Structure formats: structure tokens, C-alpha cells
Amino acid sequence: DAKTTQPTSMDCAEGRAANLPCNHSTISGNEYVYWYRQIHSQGPQYIIHGLKNNETNEMASLIITEDRKSSTLILPHATLRDTAVYYCIVRVYNAGNMLTFGGGTRLMVKP
Amino acid sequence: GAGVSQTPSNKVTEKGKYVELRCDPISGHTALYWYRQSLGQGPEFLIYFQGTGAADDSGLPNDRFFAVRPEGSVSTLKIQRTERGDSAVYLCASSLDRDNEQFFGPGTRLTVL
């Protein structure tokens, strides 16, 4: 699987949008972009995934650049409960393989 | 419905002892994964089961680590002759099948003294 690069940490004001970037410049054509988050002392939680089109669900939006070399996870109205480590992962779909976690971005939502 | 559960939540053992960690996946999920997470790092893959068989065990660090899933549901991770470096949080995840998102349990914190 391709590697990803994320900032180590970010701050966001409560109620504002949190935009978390991820670089995956060596992504292959059959690799999807997945986002998970891990709140302190809990297991990781799936957020969203996509191939090349932008995706939105009840938790977040995923914006993938046209060349697929980078993406941004958007939490539209961050709350204190969104404070967590966010992991961007690229993974081949339909392969049943593992998730390869990097260091992630530690997002701190502040009042 | 019930999520992935793991027992025990905490396990303290002495160097050289044998430990078993249990994972109860979400009912009906055919894929099951074990990961290990050291302090300040992201989870690292250990082993993946599809049904009863280990489809990929490339992440197991050495032959002291072994995992089973005899009936395609509950899985047990077994560690022999534990070492202090085995101290970590052991996470289990399951998915409906190999292509769906993985749901993680809360983990078992293993401390080897």
C-alpha cells in the first residue's frame, strides 16, 4: 500500500470546520483513500472512504484531488467530541488486506 | 446491536508467562483482524482471518504469537513466553466481509512486568 503523509497536529475552534489534509502521492489506481479516527482510549472508528469522487456522509466529507495525490477530510462543524487522532490510509479494495496506519493527525478542538 | 468486544480489558503478567486475549466480533462478520498499538503510535497489523482460516499472518512478529478462530466467530490471540516488549494495546476488528469497513473493539491493554 502507498504511504501517506499527514501533519502531526492541528487545532480547530469549536463550531468551525476542521480541514485535515493528507498526501498520498504514490497512490495506485486501485487504491482507495480511507479515514479512521481514534478517540483517546478507544479503538479506531471508520469515518469515510473514496476512490476519486468526493464523498459525504453524516460524519464528514472527503475531497480527493483530480490527480488523486492528496485528499482533505472535512468535519463541517467540529465539536469537542471530535478531538481525536485522525488516520488517512490508502488501501486496495477487494483485497481483504489490512489497514496500514501511519502516525495520523492529532486534532484538538478548542472551546 | 453489540459491537466488537474484547476480554480482558486489562492484563498484567510477568515476563515469561503465557497469555490469551479474546475477541468477540460482530455477529455475522466473516473477516477478523488483530492489530497491536504501542504508546504514541498507530495500530500495526498482526493477522487477518477470513472465516476459520488465517488468510494473512504476515504481521505476527515471531513464533511466540499465534491466533485461532476455530468456528469462524470468536478469536483468541495467544502469546507464549511474554517479553516486556510485548506490552501494548491489542486491538481486534471485524468486518462483514473483506471489502467492508472494519469495526474495532476497545482493545486489551497488556502489561508485561
Side-chain angles (χ1 to χ4, degrees):
Chain A
D1 288 347
K3 293 184 178 179
T4 62
T5 304
Q6 300 177 252
T8 304
S9 63
M10 292 181 64
D11 289 345
C12 177
E14 188 178 19
R16 297 294 187 111
N19 297 285
L20 292 92
C22 179
N23 286 322
H24 31 79
S25 58
T26 60
I27 192 170
S28 301
N30 63 346
E31 287 181 317
Y32 281 63
V33 180
Y34 285 77
W35 284 82
Y36 280 74
R37 73 179 182 183
Q38 189 171 24
I39 295 170
H40 183 62
S41 296
Q42 297 182 21
Q45 175 191 22
Y46 166 81
I47 301 173
I48 198 167
H49 75 279
L51 181 63
K52 53 184 176 181
N53 296 323
N54 298 337
E55 302 288 345
T56 295
N57 62 20
E58 64 278 5
M59 290 183 69
S61 294
L62 174 60
I63 308 298
I64 303 174
T65 58
E66 191 169 346
D67 63 7
R68 303 211 321 123
K69 292 185 177 182
S70 65
S71 60
T72 301
L73 179 75
I74 301 173
L75 308 179
H77 305 287
T79 71
L80 299 179
R81 290 190 300 272
D82 292 321
T83 292
V85 177
Y86 287 77
Y87 296 100
C88 170
I89 299 164
V90 292
R91 175 178 183 245
V92 176
Y93 193 74
N94 197 32
N97 54 355
M98 76 298 286
L99 298 168
T100 302
F101 291 83
T105 295
R106 185 172 299 277
L107 176 69
M108 179 74 71
V109 181
K110 298 184 174 181
Chain B
V4 177
S5 62
Q6 294 185 245
T7 54
S9 55
N10 281 284
K11 176 70 176 178
V12 179
T13 191
E14 294 179 343
K15 180 175 178 295
K17 299 290 188 180
Y18 167 82
V19 297
E20 289 189 353
L21 311 179
R22 176 187 169 110
C23 172
D24 283 80
I26 295 172
S27 178
H29 280 196
T30 63
L32 185 146
Y33 303 78
W34 284 98
Y35 295 83
R36 178 170 71 172
Q37 186 170 26
S38 299
L39 191 64
Q41 299 182 14
E44 294 178 302
F45 168 75
L46 295 176
I47 187 169
Y48 153 53
F49 287 89
Q50 183 59 48
T52 60
D56 184 351
D57 64 357
S58 62
L60 295 178
N62 51 59
D63 61 6
R64 295 187 297 106
F65 289 74
F66 188 71
V68 296
R69 194 186 185 201
E71 298 179 356
S73 178
V74 171
S75 177
T76 304
L77 179 66
K78 308 180 180 190
I79 310 174
Q80 299 177 320
R81 305 183 302 280
T82 52
E83 300 177 356
R84 292 192 180 89
D86 298 334
S87 296
V89 175
Y90 289 81
L91 294 161
C92 175
S94 71
S95 63
L96 185 60
D97 58 38
R98 65 179 191 172
D99 299 324
N100 289 82
E101 64 264 31
Q102 296 178 25
F103 295 85
F104 283 79
T108 293
R109 181 175 298 278
L110 175 66
T111 303
V112 182
L113 300 176

